[in-house]
Amino acid sequence: TQFVYLDIKDTGKGISKKNYKRVFQPGFTTKERGWGLGLSLCKRIVENYHQGKVFVKNSEVGKGTTFRIVLNK
């Protein structure tokens, strides 16, 4: 099987390792405003509609985060 890898990188606050899985839970946010639904919706679309995976590839607090989406080709 062949795969397509899509990495999305930002230069935001970063995510501590203990929160790697929590960021995909509905309602999880570190911001004062916002509902914490963006990443949970992304995960649902990627996994349920495209049979792919999405996860935190790496993150450094204060530097940013890289998410990876893996899809079957």
Side-chain angles (χ1 to χ4, degrees):
T1 305
Q2 293 183 331
F3 299 98
V4 174
Y5 298 93
L6 178 62
D7 290 347
I8 298 97
K9 184 175 184 174
D10 69 28
T11 55
K13 294 192 289 184
I15 302 167
S16 63
K17 242 190 185 9
K18 69 177 182 177
N19 286 328
Y20 277 20
K21 293 203 187 292
R22 286 185 64 206
V23 297
F24 295 104
Q25 294 175 353
F28 179 83
T29 184
T30 58
K31 298 177 182 176
E32 241 178 73
R33 295 182 50 154
W35 292 9
L37 295 175
L39 287 173
S40 64
L41 181 59
C42 173
K43 185 173 180 73
R44 188 172 175 186
I45 291 168
V46 169
E47 293 184 356
N48 294 347
Y49 293 95
H50 300 288
Q51 290 70 51
K53 296 284 180 201
V54 60
F55 56 90
V56 177
K57 183 178 177 194
N58 58 46
S59 186
E60 191 174 341
V61 175
K63 299 253 181 166
T65 303
T66 302
F67 291 91
R68 174 164 277 186
I69 297 174
V70 181
L71 301 170
N72 288 323
K73 192 168 181 183

